[in-house]
Amino acid sequence: MQAKFKTIFQSLTVRNYRLFATGQLIKMIGVWMMFIAQDWLVLELTDNSASALGIVTALQFTPVLLLSLFSGRLADRYDKRILLLIANIFWTVLAIGMSVLVVTDLVQLWHVFGFAVLLGVANAVETPVRQSFVSEMVGTSLLPNALSLNSATFNTARIVGPALAGVAIALFGLGPVFVVSAVSSIAPLLNLVRMRPAELYRAEQVAGAEKDAAKIMDGLRYVWRRGDLLLPMALMLVVGMTLFNFQITLAALAKTVFNTGAASFGLFTTSLATGSLIGALASGSRRGRPSAWIVLGSAVACSSFAILAGLAPAYWLVVALLLPTGFFMIYFAQAANQRVQLGVDAAFRGRVMSLWVLVFVGTNPVGAPVVGWVAEHFGAGSAIWGGGLVSLLTAAAALAWQLHRTGSRLRLRLVPRPRFYVVPSGG
């Protein structure tokens, strides 16, 4: 057990990564507190409109859709650490401004819309750079573990943040939650400054004329020619757009279906995040590049449990089903992320990861308003199981394509326990 524990957290032995992960954990707890408070603020300002939530989410991710590929080019040309400092400074200034509006009770809906757009700009620059910066901190050998710990950090924050926000909103109101979020965003700035640039793994990065010639279209052509990268990205495009909208659907489910308060919404999010954290830690011991079958199998499982959660008639049953949904959701996302990162050349990493961010979160401007509209007109449960159904059909089609392409066959084994397994071509 001790050896397993050390394997899961081995990237934390690297000082630069330890500083990075600590700063991200503190910031992300505050960010998730702010997301909960922001959603509740929108519902209060709009008389419980799920469509308004969808619009806010769309505005927040539209800059990701428009700017991510450009940010990937920046990541392949310039110092990623400096880019992260700039993006995080911008984020901190915005968070302080929003907290002042809420505390002084001057906030209006258009302020929330504008805040969402500007935060999206910061996120559009920061996320692709942060994704590609991980390999510079830990090197290739520890990259799978570091990616899993990144996800574990994110989901730890998603457990702690909503729980703290639900209690804080009930006791102190929305203002203090925004203030705490603004203060927490300073942590990654301090830790980025404390890093030792000489200890970064930059030897494998291209330099000079090659770096200056890095073009967005070259990155797109590179992915198009790589079927092993295209499959997880295409699958994530559909699943991310139709299913990964729990920020909208769970808020609407708690308030409009089960008629509960902020604390109960926080419990939904916490249950989903707890499963996600377990899934991230389960991915942490992976040493090599995951196979396409792991990506596809986890996508099928994630979609199936989401359908069950959307159809569940009781509050406690939704909470229970969100646990395995979260587990397979992050297990799928991590397997797909690791398959992409461990299969890409260093010269293209920034641009490829910007494309990953685009299909992972940049599709929200398209999916979020649709999901919000479905939730408002047909119920939040319908939005969840409908997204799960579309994702399941897409995963099944991708599985059929992969089996056909490789000439493999899918078999069911009943003993010692029921499970599907793949028989390779000629096997």
Side-chain angles (χ1 to χ4, degrees):
M1 180 63 70
Q2 186 177 10
K4 183 73 171 178
F5 185 82
K6 288 182 178 179
T7 299
I8 292 175
F9 296 99
Q10 59 187 320
S11 294
L12 293 178
T13 60
V14 180
R15 180 182 183 273
N16 282 340
Y17 181 77
R18 189 164 61 248
L19 288 170
F20 171 82
T22 304
Q24 284 298 307
L25 177 61
I26 295 172
K27 175 187 174 181
M28 291 308 300
I29 289 174
V31 167
W32 274 103
M33 292 181 69
M34 180 196 70
F35 282 160
I36 299 297
Q38 176 184 271
D39 290 348
W40 219 249
L41 176 64
V42 170
L43 290 174
E44 287 186 353
L45 293 174
T46 61
D47 194 24
N48 300 333
S49 173
S51 293
L53 280 180
I55 292 172
V56 170
T57 303
L59 291 174
Q60 188 170 310
F61 289 104
T62 295
V64 178
L65 177 64
L66 299 177
L67 301 176
S68 286
L69 295 179
F70 175 74
S71 300
R73 188 184 183 208
L74 292 179
D76 282 336
R77 295 185 65 184
Y78 301 108
D79 190 320
K80 297 178 181 63
R81 178 171 159 269
I82 300 301
L83 291 174
L84 287 175
L85 276 169
I86 295 171
N88 278 279
I89 289 172
F90 185 52
W91 181 290
T92 300
V93 172
L94 290 173
I96 292 172
M98 188 62 181
S99 65
V100 170
L101 286 173
V102 177
V103 168
T104 57
D105 204 26
L106 297 175
V107 67
Q108 299 179 32
L109 186 61
W110 72 268
H111 292 140
V112 182
F113 288 164
F115 177 65
V117 172
L118 293 175
L119 274 186
V121 172
N123 199 36
V125 174
E126 193 259 359
T127 305
V129 177
R130 171 166 46 83
Q131 288 271 348
S132 56
F133 186 51
V134 177
S135 64
E136 290 192 9
M137 289 184 285
V138 300
T140 303
S141 61
L142 288 176
L143 184 56
N145 178 257
L147 292 175
S148 295
L149 288 184
N150 277 1
S151 182
T153 298
F154 176 84
N155 286 290
T156 298
R158 195 162 60 162
I159 293 171
V160 177
L164 290 177
V167 174
I169 292 171
L171 293 178
F172 308 110
L174 294 171
V177 177
F178 281 93
V179 172
V180 170
S181 175
V183 173
S184 69
S185 66
I186 299 173
L189 289 173
L190 297 178
N191 283 1
L192 283 166
V193 171
R194 294 175 59 200
M195 283 186 182
R196 297 169 183 166
E199 295 179 5
L200 295 174
Y201 291 79
R202 288 174 169 170
E204 64 176 3
Q205 304 298 314
V206 294
E210 293 180 61
K211 181 182 290 188
D212 293 335
K215 297 178 180 178
I216 293 173
M217 286 305 301
D218 292 337
L220 296 177
R221 292 191 192 101
Y222 175 81
V223 173
W224 183 256
R225 294 193 298 264
R226 295 282 304 275
D228 60 325
L229 303 181
L230 195 59
L231 176 65
M233 284 198 176
L235 191 55
M236 179 55 75
L237 174 67
V238 177
V239 177
M241 185 164 51
T242 60
L243 184 57
F244 287 10
N245 286 287
F246 287 109
Q247 182 181 347
I248 301 169
T249 54
L250 293 184
L253 193 70
K255 197 167 181 85
T256 64
V257 176
F258 294 108
N259 300 313
T260 54
S264 296
F265 170 37
L267 184 58
F268 275 165
T269 308
T270 299
S271 178
L272 186 74
T274 300
S276 300
L277 175 60
I278 298 171
L281 294 177
S283 303
S285 58
R286 186 178 292 132
R287 295 180 178 274
R289 192 184 185 204
S291 68
W293 310 115
I294 293 177
V295 175
L296 291 164
S298 54
V300 169
C302 168
S303 304
S304 300
F305 277 108
I307 292 172
L308 294 175
L311 294 172
Y315 174 85
W316 64 267
L317 188 55
V318 175
V319 173
L321 286 168
L322 285 175
L323 196 66
T325 301
F327 176 90
F328 285 109
M329 180 179 73
I330 210 62
Y331 199 82
F332 157 65
Q334 277 302 103
N337 190 352
Q338 291 168 350
R339 185 158 178 80
V340 171
Q341 285 245 41
L342 293 172
V344 65
D345 295 333
F348 290 92
R349 181 168 282 118
R351 282 164 288 175
V352 171
M353 292 317 298
S354 71
L355 184 59
W356 168 262
V357 171
L358 179 63
V359 301
F360 189 22
V361 297
T363 52
N364 269 276
V366 179
V370 176
V371 170
W373 183 86
V374 172
E376 185 164 336
H377 290 83
F378 300 99
S382 298
I384 296 173
W385 71 255
L389 181 60
V390 173
S391 298
L392 180 60
L393 293 175
T394 303
L399 177 60
W401 178 83
Q402 181 70 7
L403 288 170
H404 175 74
R405 189 174 75 91
T406 60
S408 303
R409 292 170 294 166
L410 196 63
R411 293 285 181 83
L412 174 63
R413 179 180 295 166
L414 297 176
V415 291
R417 58 186 176 85
R419 62 185 291 263
F420 286 99
Y421 67 100
V422 176
V423 179
S425 177

